[in-house]
Amino acid sequence: MQSQIDAYFEAMEVLFSVRDPKVLTALGPSSVRGLLLHRGKQGTPTDMPATHTAHFDWSYPNDQPEMADLYRRAKVGQWNGDDLPWNISVDPLDPTRPLIPEEFLCFEEIEALGIKLDKKERAELGYSMCAWMLSQFLHGEQGALFAAAQVTEAVQFFDGKLYGATQVMDEGRHVEVFNRYLDTKLNKLYQINDNLFVIIDSLMTDGRWDMKFLGMQIMVEGLALGAFSTLYKETKEPLLKEVLKMVIQDEARHVHYGVCALREHFTKHITERERQEREDWSFEIALLMRNRFAAYEVYEEWFEGRMTRAEWRNVVYRSKGMNEFRTVMFSRLVPNLREIGLLSPRIMPRYEEVGLMQYFGGLAADQLTADKLLADLH
């Protein structure tokens, strides 16, 4: 009951913190379905009403050279998930090739609460955390698959439609490889995190093409790129490392596509009131994404009844690996928001208040290549 009350008040805190009524209108129904009703955890498929306009252009213009270049690069960069080294045997508890290092989690905080874990239990908890992260990657990639298909229909640029078709293929491949790894190597799948469900539900049900683009290409894909990068750097399991390496190369193009499409649109083709709404919406989604990595699903499996949710949040926030996740994720996100015009002096104090302005000066996605991203992780 204590956990349920904490979850309820945490959901209420999310809703009551939204200042812009239009943002609350956009996120409110999704928050109720995800945070209060837990629609993603009912054990049945979820139907989300998708409404958007399909934009046809019968003149087939070459209207965006930067997107056309991304399309050429995407065609060359296609890969086959079957070609990955699936013959590698994966033992999630092998100390010589750990999925994540032991220091990834703050076991000192857990022990300070009177909970003692032996070496085997520590390895098993690390296995659970890695499976949880990969499960959320998989759920996010399914959302990205559907959103990419919608955006390809709705985007206003014809070169963007051609590139979008390659992203739909990319996302399908990502769903394939993450699902295969979880199913055949880790034998474990966690349900979708409620915060992630809210974001996907909000994106799929919003009829505005630029909001779908902003939510998926900038927010979800940008943060995912940071998350993939962190796990790629930390894991010593060779097959997982290879899966993440290939996915990172695709994701770098996806986020570049989002910056390219929205940079001019947000700074020249919408009203200031519309821009401010998107700026506020992005901030609220950033908070949801930050909270997404509290890993409550692991808490419920391991520690519910042994510690409170608040104590678990403290464990997560003090853990070295999870802190690295947040650092890398937001170092990718915040520069992209700056680049597309959604980090004005009006909103900056709110980012400063939650500690995210430290990432303001980083490189945006249009200045980063997959090779540079991977090189920085070695």
Side-chain angles (χ1 to χ4, degrees):
M1 184 177 291
Q2 184 183 40
S3 293
Q4 291 174 348
I5 291 172
D6 182 89
Y8 176 81
F9 278 108
E10 190 176 25
M12 289 298 99
E13 183 181 357
V14 170
L15 290 173
F16 288 132
S17 68
V18 179
R19 303 177 188 179
D20 189 317
K22 287 193 173 182
V23 175
L24 183 58
T25 299
L27 286 178
S30 297
S31 296
V32 170
R33 289 190 288 270
L35 299 178
L36 298 180
L37 300 179
H38 307 292
R39 287 282 175 84
K41 294 179 175 172
Q42 295 180 353
T44 59
T46 301
D47 291 327
M48 299 180 185
T51 57
H52 62 277
T53 299
H55 180 85
F56 283 81
D57 190 332
W58 308 111
S59 63
Y60 307 95
N62 296 317
D63 49 4
Q64 289 285 333
E66 191 172 352
M67 290 185 188
D69 181 61
L70 279 172
Y71 177 50
R72 287 189 290 270
R73 286 163 50 190
K75 288 188 291 183
V76 173
Q78 294 298 308
W79 49 278
N80 185 348
D82 289 336
D83 293 338
L84 293 173
W86 295 106
N87 61 308
I88 292 176
S89 177
V90 178
D91 178 358
L93 304 181
D94 183 354
T96 65
R97 298 193 300 187
L99 294 167
I100 55 175
E102 182 173 307
E103 61 270 19
F104 193 92
L105 290 169
C106 189
F107 288 103
E108 292 79 7
E109 289 290 328
I110 296 175
E111 291 188 349
L113 297 171
I115 300 173
K116 304 295 183 182
L117 300 177
D118 60 28
K119 193 169 185 63
K120 182 174 184 292
E121 288 172 323
R122 289 188 176 202
E124 289 173 343
L125 180 56
Y127 161 39
S128 295
M129 282 298 297
C130 185
W132 177 84
M133 287 185 285
L134 290 171
S135 296
Q136 304 317 310
F137 293 169
L138 172 59
H139 300 317
E141 293 298 327
Q142 182 179 183
L145 170 62
F146 296 165
Q150 289 188 0
V151 165
T152 301
E153 292 179 335
V155 71
Q156 309 291 300
F157 317 109
F158 197 79
D159 282 326
K161 291 181 181 296
L162 296 180
Y163 174 77
T166 69
Q167 183 172 341
V168 173
M169 179 62 196
D170 289 346
E171 305 297 4
R173 187 168 56 241
H174 298 173
V175 169
E176 171 202 344
V177 296
F178 282 130
N179 183 53
R180 184 171 177 178
Y181 188 86
L182 284 161
D183 183 48
T184 66
K185 300 301 181 180
L186 299 192
N187 302 304
K188 195 166 192 175
L189 175 68
Y190 284 89
Q191 293 177 307
I192 185 171
N193 176 268
D194 291 334
N195 290 311
L196 179 57
F197 179 93
V198 171
I199 295 167
I200 293 175
D201 185 276
S202 176
L203 291 177
M204 298 304 295
T205 56
D206 197 313
R208 297 167 290 181
W209 76 267
D210 64 326
M211 291 296 286
K212 293 181 188 294
F213 227 109
L214 172 61
M216 189 52 63
Q217 303 297 125
I218 300 297
M219 307 300 296
V220 176
E221 296 280 64
L223 288 167
L225 182 58
F228 296 157
S229 298
T230 303
L231 190 53
Y232 173 83
K233 180 180 178 180
E234 295 287 347
T235 189
K236 297 297 187 291
E237 199 290 287
L239 174 57
L240 178 56
K241 205 172 189 72
E242 188 65 20
V243 169
L244 292 166
K245 173 186 173 183
M246 301 308 294
V247 171
I248 286 170
Q249 294 180 62
D250 293 342
E251 297 291 353
R253 292 194 306 270
H254 299 173
V255 184
H256 185 171
Y257 177 39
V259 170
C260 177
L262 296 178
R263 188 171 45 209
E264 182 176 342
H265 181 72
F266 284 166
T267 56
K268 296 181 181 179
H269 300 300
I270 60 175
T271 67
E272 178 60 17
R273 180 68 191 89
E274 289 172 327
R275 192 199 62 76
Q276 288 184 9
E277 179 194 348
R278 285 149 178 78
E279 193 170 60
D280 289 340
W281 187 89
S282 298
F283 176 76
E284 300 301 339
I285 292 296
L287 292 187
L288 280 173
M289 295 296 286
R290 184 183 66 174
N291 295 340
R292 166 186 165 186
F293 279 93
Y296 288 127
E297 292 76 16
V298 174
Y299 160 76
E300 291 165 1
E301 178 187 20
W302 277 78
F303 300 115
E304 192 166 35
R306 303 171 73 187
M307 69 171 77
T308 66
R309 278 168 55 101
E311 288 169 336
W312 171 253
R313 281 196 295 273
N314 191 51
V315 170
V316 171
Y317 293 151
R318 289 175 178 264
S319 291
K320 175 185 174 184
M322 301 305 284
N323 186 55
E324 177 75 9
F325 253 109
R326 289 189 293 276
T327 298
V328 177
M329 286 193 320
F330 286 105
S331 70
R332 297 289 175 242
L333 171 65
V334 173
N336 293 331
L337 293 174
R338 178 202 69 214
E339 187 67 17
I340 62 177
L342 296 187
L343 267 182
S344 71
R346 182 189 74 91
I347 199 74
M348 282 183 184
R350 298 184 70 186
Y351 279 90
E352 186 69 50
E353 189 179 308
V354 296
L356 296 180
M357 275 305 293
Q358 60 182 302
Y359 309 115
F360 180 83
L363 295 177
D366 58 337
Q367 300 170 302
L368 287 170
T369 65
D371 289 342
K372 177 171 174 49
L373 283 169
L374 291 169
D376 290 344
L377 296 173
H378 288 96

